[in-house]
Structures are given as C-alpha cells and as structure tokens.
C-alpha cells in the first residue's frame, strides 16, 4: 500500500521569504500523480499544484513550485515571496493511476505553516 | 468552485443516534468521495462512488454506509454514532478524464458526537 509522509508538523516563515515543505511517499507504481493541497482556517481544501510522475519538469504555479525527485520518492513544495494569506495547513497527496481505486487520494498528515509579518 | 455543497455544515448529536450527511454536486461528475479529517491523521477515505448505486469502501469504512440514488447526491450515514466519529467530514468530486483528473472538495461538515 502507498503511504505519504510529511515529517514537519509545523513550519514558520517570515513574510516575503521562501519556505520549503517536505513530503516523501512510498509506492511500487510508476504511474501516479502527486498533489499539494492548502487548507486555510476556513477549512476549504484548495488544490495548489499537481505533478505527474512521468514528467521530468517540476510543476510551477505562480509563487508555488515543487521539487520532484522520483527516484528518491520526494515531493517538496517551495513557496516564494511568502504572504500572510499563505498561512494554512498544507497536505501532500498521492494518487495512483492503476486499478479500481484510480482517483482515490492518499494524504499525508499535514504541515501547519505560519507566516510572520 | 466545483459546485459542491454539504449539509448540514455543523451537527451535534448524541451517541447511538443515526446521522446522515449529504453531499450535492451540480455538474454530474461520476466519481464522488467521502473523507474524514482528524488531527494528526490528515484526510482519510471512508467510501467512494463511481456511479449511481455503485459504491466501494475506503480506508476507514467501519461504522459508515453510503448511498447514491442520483448522480448529484451522495449520502453518508452513521447508523449509530459513536464519539470516535467526531470529526470533520469532506465530500469531494473527481473531474477530468482518465489519468488527468483532479478532486475538488466541498466545504466540510463538522460533526460532534457527545
């Protein structure tokens, strides 16, 4: 079974600085997607960024980028020019492209990010 | 906004009572999901549906049942609520095509079982 591990329960960053959130995963599959979701205090789950395992190029969405290391099974999220609105829980998630469970997400336990003004 | 609503948004109930949570979507997506979120556990899949009357179990399905009689509605039922089922419940839908698809989440339901 696949697992997702976020080893940093809490992180803190100064406004305008850069922060990197870590995520590792375990799988024997080769075809999968990885995601980062943001959950602000409103509780809404918001998709931040996705990465397809077959793509070498790291995904980027504005100030958010990932460092995808497939061999190391690592998928970290970098937030540049941090803003107060980035304060939230961040969840890393894995999705297989195989079998009947295709589409089911497996989540890490989350990292709580605080942004200091 | 993927057109997902959940009702109720908050509920307090007593141990042993039945509870039904409703997820409603407006866009006719085939796949729908129920997750629970607990501190220290992230989100865990309870049940999912891949069509009307087609459902399957997830990681933490014990004590829960689901039904989907219409494409737009996915119901989660706790037949006899227990304190361990105090949680925040999220519904999600899957959009897109095979391979390249995403899950979008509803606003969540906070359930407290006393």
């Amino acid at each position: 079974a696949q697992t997702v591990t976020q080893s940093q329960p809490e992180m803190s960053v100064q406004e305008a600085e850069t922060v990197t959130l870590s995520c590792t995963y375990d799988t024997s599959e080769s075809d999968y997607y990885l995601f980062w979701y943001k959950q602000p205090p409103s509780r809404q789950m918001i998709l931040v960024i996705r990465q397809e395992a077959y793509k070498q190029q790291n995904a980027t969405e504005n100030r958010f980028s990932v460092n995808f290391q497939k061999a190391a099974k690592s998928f970290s999220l970098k937030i540049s020019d941090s803003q107060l609105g980035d304060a939230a829980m961040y969840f890393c998630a894995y999705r297989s492209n195989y079998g009947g469970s295709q589409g089911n997400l497996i989540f890490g336990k989350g990292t709580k990010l605080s942004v200091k003004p | 906004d993927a057109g997902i609503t959940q009702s109720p948004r908050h509920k307090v109930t007593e141990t042993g009572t039945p509870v039904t949570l409703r997820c409603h979507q407006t866009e006719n997506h085939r796949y729908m999901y129920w997750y629970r979120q607990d501190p220290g556990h992230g989100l865990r899949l309870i049940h999912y549906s891949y069509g009307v009357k087609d459902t399957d179990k997830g990681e933490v399905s014990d004590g829960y049942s689901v039904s989907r009689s219409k494409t737009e509605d996915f119901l989660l039922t706790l037949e006899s609520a227990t304190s361990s089922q105090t949680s925040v419940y999220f519904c999600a839908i899957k959009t897109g095509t095979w391979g390249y698809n995403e899950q979008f989440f509803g606003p969540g339901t906070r359930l407290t079982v006393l």
Side-chain angles (χ1 to χ4, degrees):
Chain A
Q2 296 82 22
T3 59
V4 176
T5 301
Q6 293 179 249
S7 58
Q8 306 152 316
E10 296 188 22
M11 293 280 288
S12 181
V13 63
Q14 204 71 32
E15 194 175 7
E17 297 294 310
T18 295
V19 64
T20 299
L21 308 184
S22 301
C23 173
T24 59
Y25 58 96
D26 188 26
T27 185
S28 58
E29 299 173 339
S30 59
D31 188 10
Y32 53 87
Y33 277 84
L34 297 163
F35 303 87
W36 280 98
Y37 281 87
K38 171 186 178 181
Q39 187 181 44
S42 67
R43 210 166 62 199
Q44 182 68 49
M45 292 288 288
I46 302 165
L47 177 63
V48 175
I49 200 166
R50 79 167 71 79
Q51 175 77 43
E52 184 176 3
Y54 276 113
K55 288 191 175 179
Q56 302 269 6
Q57 187 173 4
N58 289 324
T60 299
E61 290 287 344
N62 300 314
R63 296 182 296 108
F64 298 86
S65 61
V66 299
N67 183 6
F68 174 48
Q69 301 289 329
K70 190 172 183 179
K73 297 179 183 175
S74 172
F75 182 61
S76 61
L77 175 70
K78 185 172 80 171
I79 307 174
S80 304
D81 186 25
S82 296
Q83 300 175 359
L84 295 178
D86 295 333
M89 283 290 287
Y90 286 83
F91 292 97
C92 179
Y94 172 100
R95 193 198 75 214
S96 169
N97 275 348
Y98 292 102
S101 64
Q102 190 267 350
N104 296 352
L105 290 170
I106 299 170
F107 285 88
K109 295 182 178 181
T111 296
K112 184 177 181 180
L113 179 66
S114 302
V115 181
K116 298 178 180 178
Chain B
D1 184 0
I4 309 167
T5 58
Q6 293 184 230
S7 58
R9 295 293 311 279
H10 303 271
K11 186 170 182 67
V12 179
T13 191
E14 294 189 352
T15 297
T17 61
V19 176
T20 295
L21 308 182
R22 179 180 182 240
C23 177
H24 179 79
Q25 58 148 328
T26 59
E27 299 181 355
N28 291 322
H29 295 291
R30 182 181 171 197
Y31 280 80
M32 298 183 75
Y33 306 81
W34 276 108
Y35 293 88
R36 62 178 287 174
Q37 181 180 16
D38 304 290
H41 287 279
L43 279 77
R44 293 178 292 174
L45 182 66
I46 304 171
H47 281 279
Y48 67 100
S49 170
Y50 47 96
V52 173
K53 298 185 180 179
D54 292 323
T55 65
D56 206 348
K57 296 179 179 180
E59 177 189 357
V60 290
S61 59
D62 287 349
Y64 301 95
S65 62
V66 290
S67 64
R68 193 167 178 201
S69 58
K70 298 185 291 185
T71 299
E72 58 265 36
D73 289 327
F74 191 31
L75 305 181
L76 177 70
T77 297
L78 291 65
E79 300 290 348
S80 178
T82 67
S83 58
S84 65
Q85 293 175 312
T86 292
S87 187
V88 178
Y89 292 86
F90 285 95
C91 174
I93 55 95
K94 185 174 75 172
T95 67
T97 58
W98 180 268
Y100 191 82
N101 52 67
E102 300 177 0
Q103 285 193 26
F104 290 93
F105 289 79
T109 294
R110 180 176 292 279
L111 176 67
T112 302
V113 183
L114 301 176

